[in-house]
Every structure is written in structure tokens, then in C-alpha cells.
Amino acid sequence: MSLAPKASEAAGGRDAGRGGGTGGSRGQNGGRRRRGRRVLRWSATGLSVVILGTAGAGYLYYQHLNGNIHKGQRSSGDSKARKTAPNAAGQTPMNILLIGSDSRNSAENVKLGGSKDNVGNPPLGDVQMLIHLSADRKSASMVSIPRDTRVDIPKCTDPKTGKVFPATNSIINESLARGGAGCTLATWENLTGVYIDHWMTIDFAGVVKMADAIGGVEVCVNQSVWDHPTPQVPGGSGLKLTAGSHKVQGKQALQWLRTRHAWGSDLMRARAQHMYLNSMIRTLKGQNVFTDTPRLMDLAEAATDSLTVSEEIGTVKKLYDLAMQLKSVPTNRITSVTMPNVPDPQNDDHVVPDTVNADKMWQMLRDDVAFDKNGDAKESGKKSGGSAPATKSPSVPADQLGVLVRNATGTSTEAAVSGRARTIATQLGAKGYTRAAADTSGTAESVEKTVVEYPSADLLGDAQAVAKSLGIPVGQVKQTTDVSGVTLVVGADWREGTAYPKQSAPKAGDLPDNSDAINGSDTKQCMDVYAPYRWQ
């Protein structure tokens, strides 16, 4: 503040020297000018020190925030998912897996999460949500899979200990304990066929910090709720609210997100979490955090200290850029859903994917079709996956090409169709591919969608010709080093018949009825409370 007056006084000295008539001597004027120059030099030097000091402090703070961030390996399991091809503008969608950990491996988490019996145990991923940002960054989707969904978890290796966990079939929240977040990511990719770019995890204490930094998030209940232990059901989050809308933060926000019994089921807990996140997004969009330095610093501290992220986004700048892309999506173009599911025939307490409806949703994500209908009419049903590879001519005649056919028709609820590879190999023989043969290795495999794979560019035309002979879309011809020759993988979408079934492309907003979709701009959402947990 003192720099400006000094410069002004120096300027005034020079003006007085020039305006003093014959009363002032040349030496006096020269002295004033020299003093003025000295003052200006010191002022400039002082200003430079201030600027450099501020920049240094900013740099140190930036480094401090970077140091807050915990990072981990993107994938630690076997996965074959591939990135969606760029659209005509060269843009690609982005998929981020958000995992809520139930870790009790800190005093703070034990205090917030209850049971001390789990201290030291690997954490489970009780909240799992995929955030899909469209290639054009005009829409976004949030997809939850209930924690008690039985799925195939692939072979995973813990990146910290090197311990190898064999593939298994179990509930999805166990994947976090079998190789960390990278194993959960691989599990999602194998289930959905969607390539996931990044993951983020947050624990109980992190949720509290973030909720406090935001300043509270508005939620609503139709009846007064108290999620407390009952004679029939022990435990409970402790959430206690009167009917109506409330702003929750800190521990109460965590209670809202953890409540299950009072909503009636784990599926309804996913709905409550979606309501919270939609409300949080609306809250952040309505706050001028970038002109409010203390609030921005609070959010930056909370976010970097609360999150563990995959290593490729492990800097403040990358997280900031990611946040800006998400912030640009209008709330009426954000849709939250729960994976369509049905009761698990092996365990009444679990669920499994509703294969037909879940597959439809996964295809919409893979093809980057918006979950809402609020985009431009010309965008409805448009794929952002870019054009298929140009058609090439086969390198050899059909009867000289060896084609291996694999049976991957199994689903989470149905076993693979016996003899399916042999049936399709026979059909290929009738089409002229007399060297086609069924894979007899006995390796169990399950994929959502049929694909023709090839190992090198010189076999692209041959793989395309195989696909065409059976009516398989050319977009389902993929190059991969996982095969040594042209390989037809018959998926769960082709469990019967010898001609590949024609499938209509999904349209924007055409979600399955049992996806429990909520639009991000809907401010009237309110949770119903299961009768035993109502009070007043």
C-alpha cells in the first residue's frame, strides 16, 4: 500500500522543480530528479519482491495441494475393454469410476463408521458409481451398481503387496479388497465393456470434509426419519431428520449417504445418493467459488486431502481441468441411474444384472448415447463413436482362412449355451470358411456383445469378411493382441440362431424402465421412509 504514495511524491518533486521558476538551482532540481529515480527504483524493486513472494507462496501452496493427493495404479486386473473411437470432431467420452470405501483403518473412520471389528481389514467398495462425460461434453450420466451385486471379478494383483487374487464370482464390493481400486475398475470394464479412464476413492472422513467445505447440501424426506437399531435389524447410520427439506453437512451428510435400512433397501440407498450428488452439483454451480478465495482454498484442501485417484490424474491441474469439464454440463443434461437388476437365484440378499436391460444401458455408454432427451433433436440417437474402419479386401480366399470360434454366451444368470461355438463354426463352413473350428480349450469366457477379433492390420479385411458373412456389424470387428488369428467370440447377445440378430441402435433418453432415472435439474425429489424408521 505504501508504494503508490512514494511514487506520487517522487513525481510531485519533479513537477515542483520544473514549476519553481528561477528560484530553484539546477543542482537542487538534479538532486530531486535523482532522489525521484531512487524512490521509483526502490518502488519497482519492492513491487517485484511482492509479486515474486506471492508467486512463490502460490507455488508452494500448489505443491502442498499436490502433496495431499494420494495416487494409485489405474488398473490392477485383467480387462479387455477398449476406448470408444473419437467422433467426427476428434472428441472422445470420458469415464470416471467413483468408489466409496468403508475403510475403518483410521481412528477418524472408526469414529464415523462404527464397528472396530474391521480395523486392519482391506476396505470394501460399498458405493460404486460410474460418471460418464459425453464426447462433446454436453451431457453426463451417473450409473450405480448396488454393492451386493454378484459379478465375475477378474484375476487381480495388489499393486502394493504384489499379492495375486484369482478370478472369482462374488459380490462387487469385494473387488476393492482384491487388488484395490484398479481391480474394481477392471471388474466394471469386464461387466460393461466400457473403457474407464480414471478412478477416484473417498472414505468416511473424506465425505465429511467435502460436505463441510461445500457448506451443506439440501436433501428431502417425505416423513420424519431415524435410522436406528431395531430388535430385528441391528446397526443403522443414526440419521435423524424431520419431514421436509434440510441442508446436511459433515457427519450428517455421511449419515445420509450411508443410510440403507430407513430407505428400505440398498437400491433405495443408491437413489438417495443420486439425489445428494445432483443437489451437490446444483449447489456448486450456484456458488461463485472462483471469486471467493477462502472458499476455493477450503474446497481445494478438502478435495485433495480426501481423494485417492488413479495416477494419471494425480495433480491439482488435472483434477481442476476435470472439474471444469464436469461443471460445463447443464444440470438438465445430467442423469443418474441404477443398473437394472433382478434377485440373485443363489442368494436372496444379493442381486445380479438384469441382462437385457443392463446390456442396453452398457451399449448406450459404449456408443456415447445421452441418457436424457434434452439435447438438440438432431443429436438424438446419434453415436459419438466415430465411423467404422474402412472396408478392406480379404488377404486370402475364405476356404484358406483359419477361424477360431469361442463360446462366450454365458451371463450372470445363465450358463453358456452348450455347443454354441460348434454351431457357429458349422455355419461359417457353409459360408465357405471350411477351416473354421470351435475352440476346445475349455476356457470359460463371457462377453456382452459378439466380436470378431484379429491380431494385425494385414488380417483386417479377413475379419471384416467373416463378420459380413454372418451379419455382424463391421463396428464389432476389433484388433487385439489377445488372439493369434481371426477369432469369432460369440457373445451373450447371440445365444440362438445362425444369423446374427439385427439390433436397433439405442436412442437418447431411451432408458430401461427399471433404471430408476433421475434428472439433475429435478429439485422435487424426496425420499420415502420405510415405516419402522419413521418417528414423530
Side-chain angles (χ1 to χ4, degrees):
M1 294 297 292
S2 62
L3 297 180
K6 288 181 180 178
S8 177
E9 289 164 10
R14 289 194 299 273
D15 290 341
R18 284 196 282 271
T22 58
S25 70
R26 179 177 296 179
Q28 289 172 326
N29 288 340
R32 291 192 184 99
R33 283 195 292 273
R34 283 193 296 272
R35 284 194 298 273
R37 283 195 294 271
R38 282 198 299 271
V39 171
L40 285 173
R41 277 200 304 272
W42 282 111
S43 297
T45 302
L47 184 59
S48 298
V49 170
V50 170
I51 292 171
L52 289 171
T54 303
Y59 175 76
L60 290 175
Y61 185 63
Y62 177 79
Q63 291 298 94
H64 160 71
L65 292 177
N66 275 336
N68 279 350
I69 302 172
H70 302 282
K71 298 181 284 290
Q73 189 172 303
R74 190 194 76 85
S75 178
S76 59
D78 295 338
S79 172
K80 297 179 182 178
R82 300 174 181 84
K83 276 181 174 285
T84 300
N87 62 15
Q91 304 162 313
T92 54
M94 183 183 297
N95 296 297
I96 307 140
L97 184 61
L98 180 62
I99 305 169
S101 158
D102 75 345
S103 172
R104 269 79 165 183
N105 295 332
S106 74
E108 193 172 4
N109 279 335
V110 170
K111 182 179 177 182
L112 292 168
S115 174
K116 297 180 181 180
D117 297 339
N118 292 312
V119 174
N121 292 339
L124 301 175
D126 278 357
V127 178
Q128 299 185 22
M129 190 179 302
L130 183 68
I131 300 171
H132 173 86
L133 190 59
S134 67
D136 59 12
R137 303 304 190 256
K138 292 182 179 179
S139 68
S141 312
M142 297 188 295
V143 184
S144 290
I145 292 182
R147 68 169 191 174
D148 292 331
T149 302
R150 182 169 59 82
V151 298
D152 289 327
I153 301 175
K155 174 185 174 183
C156 293
T157 303
D158 189 314
K160 294 180 179 179
T161 66
K163 181 177 180 179
V164 177
F165 294 88
T168 188
N169 181 263
S170 189
I171 57 176
I172 198 167
N173 75 337
E174 292 182 6
S175 60
L176 187 63
R178 300 176 64 84
C183 187
T184 302
L185 179 144
T187 301
W188 271 73
E189 286 191 335
N190 288 341
L191 176 67
T192 67
V194 176
Y195 182 87
I196 300 174
D197 301 271
H198 318 296
W199 55 256
M200 299 180 179
T201 68
I202 189 168
D203 59 14
F204 296 155
V207 170
V208 171
K209 290 175 186 175
M210 287 295 295
D212 282 340
I214 293 166
V217 173
E218 189 169 284
V219 297
C220 177
V221 286
N222 284 320
Q223 303 87 18
S224 296
V225 58
W226 182 17
D227 191 48
H228 64 289
T230 68
Q232 294 76 29
V233 183
S237 71
L239 180 70
K240 193 172 187 179
L241 297 171
T242 56
S245 296
H246 298 268
K247 183 173 281 190
V248 296
Q249 62 186 98
K251 184 176 180 179
Q252 199 171 44
L254 177 64
Q255 289 174 335
W256 175 274
L257 294 169
R258 293 190 67 213
T259 293
R260 175 175 51 151
H261 304 315
W263 306 143
S265 70
D266 198 44
L267 302 179
M268 289 299 98
R269 174 163 66 173
R271 173 185 284 190
Q273 291 165 351
H274 293 159
M275 290 182 188
Y276 179 93
L277 287 174
N278 285 336
S279 181
M280 183 185 76
I281 291 168
R282 293 194 298 268
T283 299
L284 287 173
K285 280 180 170 287
Q287 295 176 344
N288 295 320
V289 292
F290 296 103
T291 58
D292 185 345
T293 302
R295 290 215 3 108
L296 180 58
M297 291 175 69
D298 285 347
L299 277 170
E301 283 283 355
T304 56
D305 194 42
S306 302
L307 295 170
T308 300
V309 302
S310 50
E311 54 197 359
E312 71 287 343
I313 53 169
T315 68
V316 172
K317 182 182 184 306
K318 290 179 180 178
L319 288 175
Y320 176 85
D321 290 344
L322 181 59
M324 289 302 95
Q325 293 183 62
L326 291 167
K327 186 175 182 290
S328 68
V329 180
T331 53
N332 73 335
R333 299 299 314 278
I334 299 173
T335 308
S336 55
V337 298
T338 298
M339 178 198 72
N341 57 85
V342 294
D344 182 358
Q346 296 183 17
N347 188 327
D348 292 340
D349 293 330
H350 300 162
V351 298
V352 292
D354 173 359
T355 303
V356 173
N357 286 322
D359 287 353
K360 180 179 181 180
M361 185 179 290
W362 306 146
Q363 183 181 354
M364 292 177 75
L365 290 173
R366 290 191 299 266
D367 293 346
D368 197 25
V369 176
F371 279 17
D372 68 281
K373 297 180 179 180
N374 298 325
D376 296 337
K378 63 182 180 180
E379 295 178 3
S380 181
K382 180 181 69 176
K383 292 184 180 181
S384 298
S387 57
T391 302
K392 290 184 64 176
S393 299
S395 64
V396 296
D399 61 358
Q400 294 181 24
L401 180 71
V403 182
L404 185 66
V405 183
R406 289 180 176 162
N407 183 356
T409 56
T411 72
S412 58
T413 57
E414 299 175 291
V417 178
S418 178
R420 191 72 182 135
R422 186 169 57 254
T423 298
I424 301 304
T426 300
Q427 179 65 11
L428 276 172
K431 297 286 185 179
Y433 292 93
T434 54
R435 297 181 62 186
D439 183 4
T440 58
S441 65
T443 55
E445 192 175 7
S446 177
V447 299
E448 302 287 343
K449 182 178 284 191
T450 297
V451 64
V452 180
E453 299 178 331
Y454 64 99
S456 54
D458 59 306
L459 288 172
L460 170 59
D462 301 286
Q464 289 177 332
V466 168
K468 183 179 179 180
S469 72
L470 296 171
I472 300 170
V474 70
Q476 291 167 228
V477 176
K478 308 291 183 182
Q479 183 174 355
T480 175
T481 56
D482 291 340
V483 297
S484 57
V486 175
T487 302
L488 170 58
V489 183
V490 185
D493 59 342
W494 193 13
R495 290 173 59 87
E496 59 185 13
T498 54
Y500 186 70
K502 292 184 178 180
Q503 299 177 349
S504 58
K507 296 181 179 180
D510 188 19
L511 288 166
D513 292 337
N514 58 343
S515 61
D516 196 22
I518 301 175
N519 187 271
S521 63
D522 187 349
T523 60
K524 297 181 179 179
Q525 288 288 327
C526 224
M527 287 300 295
D528 278 321
V529 179
Y530 184 43
Y533 299 92
R534 298 177 187 178
W535 65 287
Q536 281 192 340

